[in-house]
């Protein structure tokens, strides 16, 4: 009900971490924009979630304002922040039962393509996988 995010600063570099936020708000956006790196949840694909074996009550909570961000919403947030000048993004907190890394990547890539934002050219996008050590990120 009361998610907590982090914005960490070392010297002149900043990283923001935002998961379990349910919905994106102006307040959250203003807290995470203009950071050097953002770790943002991209928890679920809406269609996979609807078809999952999760109980209906849990599905409703996940999709609610007190749940998790979908791949679509994460993509829209990345696109908006990229238009504001941010360039480094890590998408994480993927659901084990209603998401997978390739789907996150493709969903976000499609949203960015609509805005003419190119991965590897305009922004750096990494997907943080469950139960797997990711690459080291330097600021």
């Amino acid at each position: 009900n009361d998610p907590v995010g982090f914005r960490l600063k070392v010297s002149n570099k900043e990283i923001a971490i935002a998961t379990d936020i349910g919905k994106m708000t102006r307040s959250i956006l203003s807290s995470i924009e203009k950071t050097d790196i953002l770790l943002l949840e991209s928890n679920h694909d809406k269609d996979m979630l609807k078809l999952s074996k999760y109980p209906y009550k849990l599905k409703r909570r996940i999709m609610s304002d007190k749940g998790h961000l979908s791949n679509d919403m994460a993509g829209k947030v990345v696109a908006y922040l990229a238009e504001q000048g941010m360039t480094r993004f890590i998408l994480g907190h993927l659901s084990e039962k209603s998401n997978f890394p390739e789907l996150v990547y493709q969903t976000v890539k499609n949203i960015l393509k609509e805005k003419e934002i190119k991965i590897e050219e305009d922004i750096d996008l990494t997907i943080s996988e469950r139960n797997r050590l990711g690459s080291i990120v330097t600021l």
Side-chain angles (χ1 to χ4, degrees), residues 116-134:
E116 299 181 3
I117 300 167
K118 296 179 182 144
I119 298 170
E120 294 182 12
E121 202 171 301
D122 300 317
I123 69 163
D124 179 36
L125 178 68
T126 304
I127 310 300
S128 178
E129 297 187 40
R130 283 179 112 17
N131 306 319
R132 177 181 260 171
L133 185 62

Side-chain angles (χ1 to χ4, degrees), residues 8 11 32 42 55 63-64 74 78 80 82 89 95 98 100 113 125:
L8 310 167
S11 299
I32 62 178
S42 188
M63 288 190 277
S64 77
V78 169
Y80 170 79
F89 302 91
S95 168
S98 57
F100 56 95
K113 186 177 181 181
L125 178 68

Side-chain angles (χ1 to χ4, degrees), residues 77-117:
V77 171
V78 169
Y80 170 79
L81 293 172
E83 290 176 328
Q84 305 310 305
M86 287 182 61
T87 59
R88 296 177 71 189
F89 302 91
I90 302 169
L91 297 178
H93 191 40
L94 280 62
S95 168
E96 187 174 14
K97 299 198 180 356
S98 57
N99 214 353
F100 56 95
E102 296 83 5
L103 180 57
V104 173
Y105 187 87
Q106 193 59 53
T107 302
V108 174
K109 182 178 178 181
N110 291 344
I111 292 167
L112 293 171
K113 186 177 181 181
E114 291 175 14
K115 302 282 188 175
E116 299 181 3
I117 300 167

Side-chain angles (χ1 to χ4, degrees), residues 7-137:
R7 184 171 174 151
L8 310 167
K9 185 173 186 176
V10 175
S11 299
N12 62 344
K13 300 290 184 176
E14 293 183 271
I15 184 168
I17 301 168
T19 64
D20 295 334
I21 55 179
K23 67 177 180 176
M24 185 52 65
T25 65
R26 272 272 144 223
S27 175
I28 295 170
L29 273 176
S30 68
S31 296
I32 62 178
E33 62 188 354
K34 297 187 172 66
T35 55
D36 295 288
I37 300 175
L38 170 63
L39 169 59
L40 179 68
E41 79 174 315
S42 188
N43 182 260
H44 62 276
D45 173 80
K46 289 179 184 179
D47 293 330
M48 279 186 75
L49 179 59
K50 289 175 186 175
L51 296 172
S52 74
K53 293 183 179 183
Y54 286 140
Y56 178 71
K57 186 176 180 180
L58 178 57
K59 291 177 188 183
R60 280 189 25 183
R61 186 190 63 77
I62 290 170
M63 288 190 277
S64 77
D65 290 350
K66 296 181 191 257
H68 301 289
L69 293 186
S70 68
N71 295 343
D72 291 324
M73 181 53 70
K76 290 174 184 176
V77 171
V78 169
Y80 170 79
L81 293 172
E83 290 176 328
Q84 305 310 305
M86 287 182 61
T87 59
R88 296 177 71 189
F89 302 91
I90 302 169
L91 297 178
H93 191 40
L94 280 62
S95 168
E96 187 174 14
K97 299 198 180 356
S98 57
N99 214 353
F100 56 95
E102 296 83 5
L103 180 57
V104 173
Y105 187 87
Q106 193 59 53
T107 302
V108 174
K109 182 178 178 181
N110 291 344
I111 292 167
L112 293 171
K113 186 177 181 181
E114 291 175 14
K115 302 282 188 175
E116 299 181 3
I117 300 167
K118 296 179 182 144
I119 298 170
E120 294 182 12
E121 202 171 301
D122 300 317
I123 69 163
D124 179 36
L125 178 68
T126 304
I127 310 300
S128 178
E129 297 187 40
R130 283 179 112 17
N131 306 319
R132 177 181 260 171
L133 185 62
S135 56
I136 295 174
V137 176

